[in-house]
Each structure stands twice: as structure tokens, then as C-alpha cells.
Amino acid sequence: MRPAELAAIRAGDIDVAFRRWDRPRLKVGTRMRTAVGLVEVTSVDRVPVSSLTAADARRAGAASLTALRQGLDRVHRERPVYRIGLRYAGTDPRQALREAVPDAAEIEAIVAWLDRLDRASPTGPWTRATLLLIDELPAIRAPDLAQRMGRDTPSFKQNVRKLKERGLTESLDIGYRLSARGAAVLDHEGHPRPARGRPEPEAGLPLPHIGAPATRALTAHGVVRLEQVAELSEGEVQALHGVGPYALGRLRTAMEAAGLAFRDDPGTRSQTS
């Protein structure tokens, strides 16, 4: 699902999707981890194309019934159509896990788990080296990190996903960063961490997930916090190459939740006048 569709599911504006499958590929009750949190499958039903309505198109986020049918006919027209019921099921539980600093018993359990991964690896130990690399080079593309470790990108990403499952790392729009949980494990083992010598990050609210192109566009202009976005007009942000409607909407939503607004927002002018 595209980022805009995920955002609409979280907002409740989309609650179904239609797919051409040779057989059902999702089960009712499945919870999928996405960029906006958990999305739960509430139903999976085979439906004839002739039964689709304009209401179905609206619920799926399509521009029209014609657009929905055209999208379904684009590939695998010979396959049946399935309607998948969807709902937003809350934040990803790994988010809370990342932020929870483990106690001594938890750290010992994590260390034992990392040791098992290293012993089972046909290419040798990798867990600490990967954590240290992400700590040293946050927000760097996965292919670049994989190259630094002498690994191919798919296997490197697979390993990072294992660490992410335990809340030790966090995916960013570009690359990864070490979580508080991951830092606690490295500190417990006494690993030298370059991040210890870094200055404290600038205070403020981080940018929401807006996609790699938009993140690159803003960071290239030194904008890494929502408070800095609020110093710009909406037109200035929109003019940056890589910032599209989805990223703009995500920024606007995040700023509204934080009580911020674009510099040229009418509400901002009225509040400051």
C-alpha cells in the first residue's frame, strides 16, 4: 500500500482494498506492520467485478468506480477479485519497546539472543558490528551500510529486521538509527561508541515519516525539526524538489498535533497579531 493510502486508513477514510489474487493471501485478524502503525485485516471476500459500486471505490480511496475497475484490470485480469476489509489497529508495539530501556535481566536475555544469532550465522558474527555501524552512521542508505560490512543489501536488511523486532534499531525514511534499547545493550557490553562523543541532538520535534525524497529535500536545507518547518511558508516547503502532497499533508498533520503551523498559515497570523 502506498503511503497516502496508509495515512487514509489510519484516519478512517479508507477501510477496504481490492486485489486480484489467484487465492486469498491474507487471513482475517492478520495485523500488518506499516509506516503508520498496525493495519488489521477484518475481512477477505471474493467478489465479482460487476458487483463493485461507487461506494466501494470511495471506501478504497479510488477517484471513481471507473478508476477502481481500471486499476484492477491493469494486471492479471484473469484472476478473481478479493475485497479486503482494513482498519487501523494502533501504533506499532515495537515503538514502545524501542523507547524502553531494559533492566539488567532483560539485557542479559537480549545478549544471549544476539549470541545465538551470531553462532547460527553461516557468515560469522554480525550483530554487534551491525548495531555499532548503525550507531556510527544513522540515516545512511542501507546499500551504503551493507557495502561497509561487505554484505549484499537484501541479507543486510534481513539482519537489521531481526534487530528491529527486538526494539534495538529503528527504521527512518533514509536508513536506520540505534534505539535507546540498543544503546543500553552496547553500553552494557562496554563497546566503544562514537555516538558518545557527539553533541546532543538539537532540541525539538523530529520530522514525521514523510518519505525519503522529502526528507532529503528538507535536510539538505538544514531542516530536521518540526519547529524549523514552522519557520517556512507552505509554498516554500512545497517548492522543494521531492516534497509532494503526501509529505506536505504529513507535515501539516504533525504540526497541528504539536500546536505549530506554517509561517503563512492564517491562524498563525491571527495569533501573533
Short mmCIF file of all heavy atoms in Angstrom, two decimals, residues 184-249:
data_model
loop_
_atom_site.label_atom_id
_atom_site.label_comp_id
_atom_site.label_asym_id
_atom_site.label_seq_id
_atom_site.Cartn_x
_atom_site.Cartn_y
_atom_site.Cartn_z
N ALA A 184 21.58 0.77 25.18
CA ALA A 184 21.78 0.21 26.51
C ALA A 184 22.53 -1.12 26.44
O ALA A 184 23.38 -1.41 27.30
CB ALA A 184 20.43 0.01 27.21
N VAL A 185 22.24 -1.91 25.40
CA VAL A 185 22.92 -3.20 25.24
C VAL A 185 24.40 -2.98 24.93
O VAL A 185 25.29 -3.62 25.52
CB VAL A 185 22.25 -4.04 24.14
CG1 VAL A 185 23.07 -5.27 23.80
CG2 VAL A 185 20.84 -4.45 24.57
N LEU A 186 24.69 -2.08 24.01
CA LEU A 186 26.09 -1.82 23.66
C LEU A 186 26.85 -1.24 24.85
O LEU A 186 28.01 -1.59 25.10
CB LEU A 186 26.16 -0.85 22.47
CG LEU A 186 25.66 -1.39 21.13
CD1 LEU A 186 25.83 -0.33 20.03
CD2 LEU A 186 26.38 -2.67 20.73
N ASP A 187 26.21 -0.35 25.59
CA ASP A 187 26.87 0.23 26.76
C ASP A 187 27.13 -0.84 27.82
O ASP A 187 28.18 -0.83 28.48
CB ASP A 187 26.01 1.35 27.35
CG ASP A 187 25.99 2.58 26.46
OD1 ASP A 187 26.85 2.70 25.58
OD2 ASP A 187 25.08 3.43 26.66
N HIS A 188 26.18 -1.74 27.99
CA HIS A 188 26.35 -2.81 28.98
C HIS A 188 27.57 -3.67 28.67
O HIS A 188 28.29 -4.09 29.58
CB HIS A 188 25.09 -3.69 29.00
CG HIS A 188 25.22 -4.94 29.80
ND1 HIS A 188 25.14 -4.96 31.17
CD2 HIS A 188 25.46 -6.23 29.41
CE1 HIS A 188 25.31 -6.20 31.59
NE2 HIS A 188 25.51 -6.99 30.56
N GLU A 189 27.80 -3.90 27.37
CA GLU A 189 28.93 -4.74 26.98
C GLU A 189 30.23 -3.95 26.86
O GLU A 189 31.28 -4.53 26.58
CB GLU A 189 28.62 -5.43 25.65
CG GLU A 189 27.48 -6.45 25.76
CD GLU A 189 27.35 -7.31 24.53
OE1 GLU A 189 27.58 -6.78 23.40
OE2 GLU A 189 27.05 -8.50 24.67
N GLY A 190 30.15 -2.65 27.04
CA GLY A 190 31.36 -1.84 27.03
C GLY A 190 31.93 -1.55 25.66
O GLY A 190 33.12 -1.26 25.52
N HIS A 191 31.08 -1.60 24.63
CA HIS A 191 31.58 -1.31 23.29
C HIS A 191 31.88 0.18 23.14
O HIS A 191 31.08 1.03 23.59
CB HIS A 191 30.54 -1.70 22.23
CG HIS A 191 30.31 -3.17 22.14
ND1 HIS A 191 31.18 -4.02 21.50
CD2 HIS A 191 29.31 -3.96 22.62
CE1 HIS A 191 30.73 -5.25 21.57
NE2 HIS A 191 29.59 -5.25 22.26
N PRO A 192 32.99 0.54 22.50
CA PRO A 192 33.26 1.97 22.24
C PRO A 192 32.26 2.49 21.23
O PRO A 192 32.10 1.92 20.15
CB PRO A 192 34.68 1.96 21.68
CG PRO A 192 34.87 0.60 21.12
CD PRO A 192 34.05 -0.33 21.98
N ARG A 193 31.57 3.56 21.57
CA ARG A 193 30.52 4.08 20.70
C ARG A 193 30.86 5.50 20.29
O ARG A 193 30.92 6.40 21.13
CB ARG A 193 29.17 4.06 21.41
CG ARG A 193 28.64 2.65 21.70
CD ARG A 193 27.33 2.70 22.46
NE ARG A 193 26.41 3.61 21.79
CZ ARG A 193 25.57 4.42 22.42
NH1 ARG A 193 25.55 4.48 23.74
NH2 ARG A 193 24.76 5.21 21.74
N PRO A 194 31.05 5.74 18.98
CA PRO A 194 31.32 7.11 18.51
C PRO A 194 30.23 8.09 18.91
O PRO A 194 30.50 9.27 19.11
CB PRO A 194 31.38 6.94 16.99
CG PRO A 194 31.70 5.50 16.77
CD PRO A 194 31.05 4.76 17.90
N ALA A 195 28.99 7.58 19.04
CA ALA A 195 27.88 8.48 19.36
C ALA A 195 28.05 9.12 20.73
O ALA A 195 27.48 10.17 21.00
CB ALA A 195 26.56 7.72 19.31
N ARG A 196 28.84 8.50 21.61
CA ARG A 196 29.02 9.08 22.94
C ARG A 196 29.68 10.43 22.89
O ARG A 196 29.45 11.29 23.72
CB ARG A 196 29.86 8.13 23.80
CG ARG A 196 29.12 6.89 24.29
CD ARG A 196 30.06 5.99 25.04
NE ARG A 196 29.37 4.87 25.66
CZ ARG A 196 29.97 3.84 26.21
NH1 ARG A 196 31.30 3.79 26.21
NH2 ARG A 196 29.29 2.87 26.76
N GLY A 197 30.54 10.63 21.90
CA GLY A 197 31.26 11.88 21.80
C GLY A 197 30.54 12.94 20.99
O GLY A 197 31.05 14.04 20.84
N ARG A 198 29.38 12.60 20.46
CA ARG A 198 28.65 13.57 19.65
C ARG A 198 27.94 14.58 20.53
O ARG A 198 27.54 14.27 21.65
CB ARG A 198 27.61 12.86 18.79
CG ARG A 198 28.19 11.97 17.72
CD ARG A 198 27.06 11.28 16.99
NE ARG A 198 27.58 10.34 16.01
CZ ARG A 198 26.89 9.33 15.52
NH1 ARG A 198 25.65 9.14 15.91
NH2 ARG A 198 27.42 8.52 14.63
N PRO A 199 27.74 15.79 20.02
CA PRO A 199 26.93 16.74 20.78
C PRO A 199 25.49 16.25 20.84
O PRO A 199 25.04 15.48 20.00
CB PRO A 199 27.04 18.04 19.95
CG PRO A 199 27.38 17.58 18.57
CD PRO A 199 28.24 16.36 18.76
N GLU A 200 24.78 16.70 21.86
CA GLU A 200 23.38 16.32 21.99
C GLU A 200 22.59 16.82 20.78
O GLU A 200 22.84 17.91 20.27
CB GLU A 200 22.79 16.94 23.26
CG GLU A 200 23.27 16.29 24.54
CD GLU A 200 22.84 14.84 24.63
OE1 GLU A 200 21.67 14.55 24.36
OE2 GLU A 200 23.69 14.00 24.96
N PRO A 201 21.63 16.00 20.29
CA PRO A 201 20.85 16.45 19.15
C PRO A 201 20.06 17.70 19.48
O PRO A 201 19.72 17.96 20.65
CB PRO A 201 19.91 15.26 18.88
CG PRO A 201 19.87 14.49 20.16
CD PRO A 201 21.22 14.69 20.78
N GLU A 202 19.79 18.47 18.47
CA GLU A 202 19.05 19.72 18.66
C GLU A 202 17.68 19.43 19.26
O GLU A 202 16.98 18.51 18.85
CB GLU A 202 18.90 20.40 17.30
CG GLU A 202 18.20 21.75 17.37
CD GLU A 202 18.10 22.38 15.99
OE1 GLU A 202 18.78 21.91 15.08
OE2 GLU A 202 17.32 23.33 15.85
N ALA A 203 17.32 20.22 20.25
CA ALA A 203 16.03 20.01 20.91
C ALA A 203 14.90 20.33 19.96
O ALA A 203 15.00 21.20 19.10
CB ALA A 203 15.95 20.90 22.15
N GLY A 204 13.80 19.62 20.14
CA GLY A 204 12.64 19.86 19.30
C GLY A 204 12.01 18.57 18.82
O GLY A 204 12.42 17.47 19.20
N LEU A 205 10.99 18.71 17.99
CA LEU A 205 10.24 17.56 17.49
C LEU A 205 10.83 17.09 16.16
O LEU A 205 10.99 17.89 15.24
CB LEU A 205 8.77 17.95 17.29
CG LEU A 205 8.03 18.38 18.57
CD1 LEU A 205 6.67 18.96 18.21
CD2 LEU A 205 7.87 17.19 19.51
N PRO A 206 11.13 15.79 16.04
CA PRO A 206 11.69 15.30 14.78
C PRO A 206 10.64 15.32 13.67
O PRO A 206 9.43 15.37 13.93
CB PRO A 206 12.11 13.87 15.12
CG PRO A 206 11.21 13.48 16.25
CD PRO A 206 10.99 14.73 17.04
N LEU A 207 11.11 15.29 12.45
CA LEU A 207 10.20 15.22 11.31
C LEU A 207 9.45 13.90 11.34
O LEU A 207 10.00 12.87 11.71
CB LEU A 207 10.97 15.33 9.99
CG LEU A 207 11.77 16.61 9.75
CD1 LEU A 207 12.54 16.50 8.44
CD2 LEU A 207 10.85 17.83 9.73
N PRO A 208 8.17 13.88 10.92
CA PRO A 208 7.46 12.61 10.82
C PRO A 208 7.97 11.83 9.61
O PRO A 208 8.78 12.34 8.83
CB PRO A 208 6.00 13.05 10.63
CG PRO A 208 6.12 14.36 9.91
CD PRO A 208 7.36 15.02 10.49
N HIS A 209 7.50 10.60 9.45
CA HIS A 209 7.85 9.83 8.26
C HIS A 209 7.15 10.47 7.05
O HIS A 209 5.93 10.44 6.94
CB HIS A 209 7.41 8.38 8.42
CG HIS A 209 8.28 7.59 9.33
ND1 HIS A 209 9.55 7.17 8.98
CD2 HIS A 209 8.10 7.15 10.61
CE1 HIS A 209 10.10 6.50 9.97
NE2 HIS A 209 9.24 6.49 10.98
N ILE A 210 7.93 11.04 6.17
CA ILE A 210 7.37 11.74 5.00
C ILE A 210 7.95 11.20 3.70
O ILE A 210 7.69 11.76 2.64
CB ILE A 210 7.63 13.26 5.09
CG1 ILE A 210 9.14 13.54 5.27
CG2 ILE A 210 6.82 13.88 6.22
CD1 ILE A 210 9.49 15.02 5.31
N GLY A 211 8.72 10.13 3.78
CA GLY A 211 9.33 9.57 2.58
C GLY A 211 10.75 10.08 2.39
O GLY A 211 11.09 11.20 2.79
N ALA A 212 11.57 9.23 1.77
CA ALA A 212 12.98 9.57 1.60
C ALA A 212 13.21 10.83 0.76
O ALA A 212 14.03 11.68 1.13
CB ALA A 212 13.73 8.39 0.99
N PRO A 213 12.52 11.01 -0.39
CA PRO A 213 12.78 12.22 -1.19
C PRO A 213 12.50 13.51 -0.43
O PRO A 213 13.29 14.46 -0.49
CB PRO A 213 11.84 12.05 -2.39
CG PRO A 213 11.61 10.59 -2.50
CD PRO A 213 11.58 10.10 -1.08
N ALA A 214 11.37 13.55 0.30
CA ALA A 214 11.03 14.76 1.05
C ALA A 214 12.00 14.97 2.22
O ALA A 214 12.39 16.11 2.51
CB ALA A 214 9.60 14.67 1.56
N THR A 215 12.39 13.89 2.87
CA THR A 215 13.36 14.00 3.97
C THR A 215 14.68 14.56 3.46
O THR A 215 15.27 15.44 4.09
CB THR A 215 13.58 12.63 4.63
OG1 THR A 215 12.33 12.15 5.15
CG2 THR A 215 14.58 12.74 5.77
N ARG A 216 15.14 14.03 2.33
CA ARG A 216 16.39 14.54 1.75
C ARG A 216 16.27 16.02 1.40
O ARG A 216 17.20 16.81 1.63
CB ARG A 216 16.76 13.73 0.51
CG ARG A 216 17.41 12.39 0.80
CD ARG A 216 18.05 11.81 -0.43
NE ARG A 216 17.07 11.47 -1.45
CZ ARG A 216 16.51 10.27 -1.57
NH1 ARG A 216 16.87 9.30 -0.75
NH2 ARG A 216 15.62 10.03 -2.52
N ALA A 217 15.13 16.40 0.84
CA ALA A 217 14.93 17.80 0.43
C ALA A 217 15.01 18.74 1.63
O ALA A 217 15.64 19.81 1.56
CB ALA A 217 13.59 17.94 -0.28
N LEU A 218 14.37 18.36 2.73
CA LEU A 218 14.36 19.23 3.90
C LEU A 218 15.72 19.24 4.61
O LEU A 218 16.21 20.31 4.98
CB LEU A 218 13.26 18.79 4.87
CG LEU A 218 11.83 19.10 4.42
CD1 LEU A 218 10.82 18.37 5.30
CD2 LEU A 218 11.57 20.60 4.46
N THR A 219 16.31 18.06 4.79
CA THR A 219 17.59 18.02 5.49
C THR A 219 18.69 18.71 4.71
O THR A 219 19.63 19.26 5.29
CB THR A 219 18.00 16.57 5.80
OG1 THR A 219 18.00 15.80 4.59
CG2 THR A 219 17.02 15.93 6.78
N ALA A 220 18.58 18.71 3.37
CA ALA A 220 19.56 19.43 2.55
C ALA A 220 19.52 20.92 2.82
O ALA A 220 20.51 21.63 2.60
CB ALA A 220 19.32 19.16 1.07
N HIS A 221 18.38 21.41 3.31
CA HIS A 221 18.24 22.83 3.66
C HIS A 221 18.37 23.05 5.16
O HIS A 221 18.01 24.11 5.68
CB HIS A 221 16.88 23.36 3.18
CG HIS A 221 16.80 23.59 1.70
ND1 HIS A 221 16.71 22.54 0.80
CD2 HIS A 221 16.84 24.73 0.96
CE1 HIS A 221 16.67 23.03 -0.42
NE2 HIS A 221 16.76 24.35 -0.36
N GLY A 222 18.87 22.04 5.88
CA GLY A 222 19.10 22.18 7.31
C GLY A 222 17.86 22.07 8.17
O GLY A 222 17.88 22.41 9.35
N VAL A 223 16.77 21.57 7.58
CA VAL A 223 15.51 21.45 8.32
C VAL A 223 15.36 20.01 8.80
O VAL A 223 15.15 19.10 8.01
CB VAL A 223 14.31 21.83 7.43
CG1 VAL A 223 13.00 21.65 8.19
CG2 VAL A 223 14.46 23.27 6.95
N VAL A 224 15.50 19.81 10.11
CA VAL A 224 15.43 18.46 10.67
C VAL A 224 14.40 18.37 11.80
O VAL A 224 14.19 17.28 12.35
CB VAL A 224 16.81 18.01 11.19
CG1 VAL A 224 17.81 17.90 10.06
CG2 VAL A 224 17.32 18.96 12.29
N ARG A 225 13.77 19.48 12.15
CA ARG A 225 12.79 19.50 13.23
C ARG A 225 11.52 20.21 12.77
O ARG A 225 11.55 21.09 11.91
CB ARG A 225 13.35 20.24 14.46
CG ARG A 225 14.60 19.59 15.03
CD ARG A 225 14.28 18.33 15.79
NE ARG A 225 15.48 17.59 16.14
CZ ARG A 225 15.47 16.40 16.75
NH1 ARG A 225 14.32 15.85 17.08
NH2 ARG A 225 16.59 15.78 17.03
N LEU A 226 10.40 19.84 13.39
CA LEU A 226 9.12 20.46 13.02
C LEU A 226 9.13 21.96 13.29
O LEU A 226 8.52 22.74 12.54
CB LEU A 226 7.98 19.82 13.81
CG LEU A 226 7.36 18.54 13.23
CD1 LEU A 226 6.25 18.05 14.14
CD2 LEU A 226 6.84 18.77 11.82
N GLU A 227 9.82 22.37 14.36
CA GLU A 227 9.87 23.80 14.66
C GLU A 227 10.53 24.58 13.52
O GLU A 227 10.17 25.74 13.26
CB GLU A 227 10.64 24.03 15.97
CG GLU A 227 9.91 23.54 17.22
CD GLU A 227 10.13 22.06 17.50
OE1 GLU A 227 10.73 21.36 16.65
OE2 GLU A 227 9.69 21.61 18.57
N GLN A 228 11.49 23.95 12.83
CA GLN A 228 12.13 24.61 11.69
C GLN A 228 11.20 24.66 10.48
O GLN A 228 11.23 25.62 9.72
CB GLN A 228 13.42 23.86 11.34
CG GLN A 228 14.49 23.95 12.42
CD GLN A 228 15.65 23.03 12.13
OE1 GLN A 228 15.48 21.84 11.91
NE2 GLN A 228 16.86 23.58 12.13
N VAL A 229 10.36 23.64 10.33
CA VAL A 229 9.37 23.66 9.25
C VAL A 229 8.41 24.83 9.46
O VAL A 229 8.02 25.51 8.51
CB VAL A 229 8.59 22.33 9.20
CG1 VAL A 229 7.51 22.38 8.12
CG2 VAL A 229 9.52 21.16 8.94
N ALA A 230 8.05 25.08 10.72
CA ALA A 230 7.11 26.16 11.02
C ALA A 230 7.68 27.54 10.72
O ALA A 230 6.93 28.52 10.66
CB ALA A 230 6.70 26.08 12.50
N GLU A 231 8.98 27.64 10.52
CA GLU A 231 9.60 28.91 10.16
C GLU A 231 9.48 29.19 8.66
O GLU A 231 9.82 30.28 8.19
CB GLU A 231 11.07 28.91 10.56
CG GLU A 231 11.29 28.81 12.07
CD GLU A 231 12.76 28.64 12.43
OE1 GLU A 231 13.59 28.65 11.50
OE2 GLU A 231 13.07 28.49 13.63
N LEU A 232 9.00 28.19 7.90
CA LEU A 232 8.85 28.32 6.46
C LEU A 232 7.39 28.45 6.08
O LEU A 232 6.50 28.02 6.82
CB LEU A 232 9.45 27.09 5.76
CG LEU A 232 10.91 26.77 6.06
CD1 LEU A 232 11.29 25.43 5.44
CD2 LEU A 232 11.82 27.88 5.54
N SER A 233 7.13 29.04 4.93
CA SER A 233 5.77 29.07 4.41
C SER A 233 5.46 27.74 3.76
O SER A 233 6.36 26.97 3.38
CB SER A 233 5.61 30.20 3.40
OG SER A 233 6.32 29.90 2.20
N GLU A 234 4.18 27.45 3.60
CA GLU A 234 3.79 26.20 2.95
C GLU A 234 4.29 26.18 1.51
O GLU A 234 4.73 25.14 1.01
CB GLU A 234 2.26 26.05 2.97
CG GLU A 234 1.77 24.74 2.39
CD GLU A 234 0.29 24.52 2.62
OE1 GLU A 234 -0.34 25.33 3.33
OE2 GLU A 234 -0.24 23.53 2.08
N GLY A 235 4.27 27.33 0.85
CA GLY A 235 4.76 27.40 -0.52
C GLY A 235 6.24 27.10 -0.63
O GLY A 235 6.69 26.45 -1.58
N GLU A 236 7.02 27.58 0.35
CA GLU A 236 8.46 27.32 0.33
C GLU A 236 8.76 25.83 0.48
O GLU A 236 9.64 25.29 -0.18
CB GLU A 236 9.14 28.12 1.45
CG GLU A 236 9.22 29.61 1.18
CD GLU A 236 9.70 30.40 2.38
OE1 GLU A 236 9.47 29.95 3.53
OE2 GLU A 236 10.31 31.46 2.18
N VAL A 237 8.02 25.17 1.36
CA VAL A 237 8.21 23.73 1.55
C VAL A 237 7.77 22.97 0.31
O VAL A 237 8.47 22.06 -0.17
CB VAL A 237 7.44 23.25 2.80
CG1 VAL A 237 7.53 21.74 2.93
CG2 VAL A 237 7.99 23.92 4.05
N GLN A 238 6.62 23.35 -0.23
CA GLN A 238 6.08 22.66 -1.40
C GLN A 238 6.99 22.81 -2.61
O GLN A 238 7.04 21.94 -3.49
CB GLN A 238 4.69 23.20 -1.71
CG GLN A 238 3.90 22.37 -2.71
CD GLN A 238 2.47 22.84 -2.80
OE1 GLN A 238 2.13 23.95 -2.39
NE2 GLN A 238 1.60 21.98 -3.34
N ALA A 239 7.73 23.90 -2.66
CA ALA A 239 8.61 24.16 -3.81
C ALA A 239 9.87 23.31 -3.79
O ALA A 239 10.57 23.21 -4.81
CB ALA A 239 8.99 25.64 -3.84
N LEU A 240 10.18 22.67 -2.67
CA LEU A 240 11.38 21.84 -2.58
C LEU A 240 11.19 20.58 -3.42
O LEU A 240 10.17 19.90 -3.31
CB LEU A 240 11.67 21.46 -1.13
CG LEU A 240 12.00 22.62 -0.18
CD1 LEU A 240 12.17 22.10 1.24
CD2 LEU A 240 13.27 23.33 -0.63
N HIS A 241 12.17 20.28 -4.23
CA HIS A 241 12.09 19.09 -5.07
C HIS A 241 12.08 17.84 -4.19
O HIS A 241 12.97 17.63 -3.39
CB HIS A 241 13.29 19.03 -6.02
CG HIS A 241 13.27 17.83 -6.93
ND1 HIS A 241 12.35 17.70 -7.93
CD2 HIS A 241 14.05 16.71 -6.95
CE1 HIS A 241 12.57 16.54 -8.55
NE2 HIS A 241 13.60 15.94 -7.97
N GLY A 242 11.03 17.03 -4.35
CA GLY A 242 10.88 15.82 -3.54
C GLY A 242 9.75 15.91 -2.54
O GLY A 242 9.34 14.89 -1.97
N VAL A 243 9.22 17.10 -2.30
CA VAL A 243 8.11 17.27 -1.36
C VAL A 243 6.81 17.29 -2.16
O VAL A 243 6.51 18.23 -2.88
CB VAL A 243 8.25 18.57 -0.55
CG1 VAL A 243 7.04 18.74 0.37
CG2 VAL A 243 9.53 18.57 0.26
N GLY A 244 6.03 16.22 -2.03
CA GLY A 244 4.76 16.10 -2.73
C GLY A 244 3.59 16.27 -1.79
O GLY A 244 3.75 16.58 -0.60
N PRO A 245 2.37 16.03 -2.29
CA PRO A 245 1.17 16.20 -1.46
C PRO A 245 1.16 15.34 -0.21
O PRO A 245 0.72 15.77 0.85
CB PRO A 245 0.03 15.81 -2.42
CG PRO A 245 0.59 16.03 -3.79
CD PRO A 245 2.05 15.71 -3.70
N TYR A 246 1.65 14.09 -0.33
CA TYR A 246 1.65 13.20 0.84
C TYR A 246 2.54 13.77 1.94
O TYR A 246 2.13 13.86 3.10
CB TYR A 246 2.13 11.80 0.45
CG TYR A 246 2.43 10.92 1.63
CD1 TYR A 246 1.39 10.36 2.39
CD2 TYR A 246 3.74 10.65 2.02
CE1 TYR A 246 1.65 9.57 3.50
CE2 TYR A 246 4.01 9.85 3.12
CZ TYR A 246 2.96 9.31 3.86
OH TYR A 246 3.23 8.53 4.95
N ALA A 247 3.78 14.15 1.58
CA ALA A 247 4.71 14.67 2.57
C ALA A 247 4.17 15.96 3.18
O ALA A 247 4.25 16.17 4.40
CB ALA A 247 6.07 14.92 1.93
N LEU A 248 3.59 16.81 2.34
CA LEU A 248 3.04 18.08 2.83
C LEU A 248 1.91 17.82 3.82
O LEU A 248 1.83 18.47 4.88
CB LEU A 248 2.55 18.92 1.65
CG LEU A 248 2.42 20.42 1.88
CD1 LEU A 248 3.79 21.05 2.14
CD2 LEU A 248 1.78 21.08 0.66
N GLY A 249 1.05 16.87 3.50
CA GLY A 249 -0.06 16.54 4.39
C GLY A 249 0.42 15.98 5.72
O GLY A 249 -0.11 16.31 6.78
#
